[in-house]
Amino acid sequence: MGYYRLILALLVAASHAGLTFGRFNPGEIAVVSFFLLSGYVMTALIDRHYLDLRRVGQFYLDRALRLYPQFLVYSLAMIAAAEVFGLRHLWMPAPPSLTSDFAQLTMLPLAFSERFPNMLLPQAWSLGLELMFYAVFPFFLIPGERMMAAYASGLVFLFAFCGRISPDWFAYRLLPGVLFVFILGSWVRRPEIRLGRAPLALGYALALAALIVALTIWPRLTSVCDMLIGLVAGLPIVYGLSRARIEGRWDELAGNLSYGVFLNHMLLLPIVERLLPSASAGVRFFALIPISIALSYVTFRCIERPAIAWRRTLRNAPASPSAVAANADPATLDRGLPDFLYAAASRRGSSAG
């Protein structure tokens, strides 16, 4: 899944560079696949290493060590670029403030992105949502309560779809309305014991029906349509990739680079705009790609890899035996699986895990 993650990160970058597909936002569509991948990978990670509620604290630390190192580096670099060189993107109309910077560096409040008029890394709102997902997911997965959580989240999404509550907030940005998307990804990895893949098929059918209604009979807001398009397009891809098990060092490398690309493009866009002031959005985006990938490689090697040993220490700590982990196919279990922005699983393990 490494190539797919890198493609998704580039779609987010394309969105911020000003490229769209008609009235649809490629970045918003791509983020939905990140949610699906997160549900898939976190299920594998917990099954393999943390399938005991007594280890939830270690799971949280594992995730913090995954998300924060590069995020903090690029956030601080954005602050320096704005303060020293006056480099600001569209989501930072004024110089950053100390209070806002500190709140954003904690990551979690970014899920409420509209409260920050000057965003350091506007795409990082989804990382705040990820932290919310990490906080609650073990308590649904381990006791076997995913179905109930999916029903409740789907109901919230339905209210947002009908316009009874904010569609942008509750059909896209906040966990109550999108938790079911993460759980669909989780069902790809581990089906329900009694129902198998029936909930997955039902969820996909309902999403497809809702998309048809949203595009034709009862037109809905763009954010709702983007969410449904991302779900209808992304779920078969994630399911297919989970069966294909595409592996190899290049796929692994692509996955390792995806997180840096996801984070660094907002730092690099103002630089590209200064270097190519009269170029079109498309030209700037394609000029951005090699720079973003190269910088991502540097920060992965220098910033990300030192934290890998800490996460492996956490994962190798003694844990209670798990019937699920014991009976699962060892070739598909997480062997240091990364989160939704990182490299795919590999039979020999991922260096990013």
Side-chain angles (χ1 to χ4, degrees):
M1 297 181 183
Y3 291 126
Y4 188 48
R5 284 186 172 88
L6 183 57
I7 291 170
L8 294 175
L10 289 172
L11 286 174
V12 174
S15 171
H16 290 139
L19 300 180
T20 59
F21 300 144
R23 66 185 182 93
F24 301 111
N25 187 322
E28 291 186 354
I29 294 171
V31 163
V32 181
S33 279
F34 280 141
F35 297 162
L36 292 167
L37 287 168
S38 184
Y40 177 91
V41 174
M42 290 306 100
T43 301
L45 177 62
I46 292 173
D47 281 352
R48 180 69 173 180
H49 298 289
Y50 301 109
L51 201 59
D52 186 331
L53 287 176
R54 291 172 295 181
R55 302 201 65 198
V56 168
Q58 292 168 293
F59 170 74
Y60 291 161
L61 182 56
D62 183 305
R63 295 298 84 208
L65 289 170
R66 166 56 78 191
L67 289 184
Y68 276 99
Q70 289 197 74
F71 167 77
L72 291 175
V73 167
Y74 283 120
S75 295
L76 292 172
M78 191 70 244
I79 293 172
E83 293 287 357
V84 178
F85 301 104
L87 290 171
R88 299 201 299 269
H89 48 68
L90 292 176
W91 289 265
M92 190 190 288
S97 66
L98 181 61
T99 303
S100 175
D101 291 347
F102 179 79
Q104 292 185 59
L105 290 174
T106 65
M107 191 185 291
L108 183 61
L110 293 175
F112 305 93
S113 55
E114 291 188 3
R115 299 185 66 87
F116 298 101
N118 290 302
M119 294 287 290
L120 297 174
L121 303 174
Q123 72 277 26
W125 71 266
S126 63
L127 300 182
L129 177 60
E130 278 288 313
L131 285 182
M132 294 182 183
F133 170 64
Y134 296 159
V136 304
F137 187 56
F139 300 99
F140 296 127
L141 179 67
I142 297 172
E145 301 294 342
R146 288 180 299 175
M147 184 69 71
M148 182 181 298
Y151 280 142
S153 176
L155 185 62
V156 173
F157 181 87
L158 179 61
F159 275 101
F161 180 86
C162 295
R164 300 298 183 182
I165 54 180
S166 170
D168 185 59
W169 282 104
F170 290 99
Y172 182 61
R173 294 186 181 276
L174 294 183
L175 189 62
V178 299
L179 178 59
F180 77 96
V181 179
F182 291 94
I183 293 175
L184 287 171
S186 176
W187 279 331
V188 172
R189 177 61 184 85
R190 192 222 292 174
E192 291 289 331
I193 295 175
R194 297 181 184 178
L195 300 176
R197 301 202 182 276
L200 192 65
L202 177 61
Y204 185 80
L206 291 174
L208 180 60
L211 177 60
I212 293 173
V213 170
L215 293 176
T216 57
I217 302 172
W218 190 22
R220 299 285 84 198
L221 297 175
T222 300
S223 59
V224 173
C225 292
D226 287 345
M227 177 70 167
L228 291 170
I229 290 172
L231 184 53
V232 169
L235 187 56
I237 294 175
V238 172
Y239 184 86
L241 289 173
S242 73
R243 296 296 172 270
R245 300 179 187 173
I246 299 173
E247 300 170 357
R249 61 181 298 187
W250 292 109
D251 180 74
E252 182 179 334
L253 177 62
N256 288 338
L257 297 178
S258 62
Y259 190 41
V261 171
F262 176 80
L263 290 172
N264 69 29
H265 68 270
M266 291 307 298
L267 171 66
L268 297 174
L269 272 173
I271 299 175
V272 173
E273 289 172 359
R274 285 197 179 184
L275 294 175
L276 302 171
S278 60
S280 66
V283 170
R284 289 175 180 173
F285 170 66
F286 284 105
L288 171 75
I289 292 175
I291 304 172
S292 177
I293 291 176
L295 181 58
S296 178
Y297 181 79
V298 172
T299 55
F300 170 74
R301 297 282 298 187
C302 298
I303 306 301
E304 187 65 31
R305 291 190 68 180
I308 292 174
W310 297 351
R311 293 196 300 274
R312 288 179 176 168
T313 299
L314 287 171
R315 296 175 184 185
N316 292 330
S320 299
S322 163
V324 175
N327 295 328
D329 176 6
T332 58
L333 280 173
D334 169 58
R335 298 170 185 245
L337 272 167
D339 70 307
F340 76 116
L341 295 172
Y342 285 79
S346 167
R347 291 184 191 275
R348 56 187 170 79
S350 168
S351 63

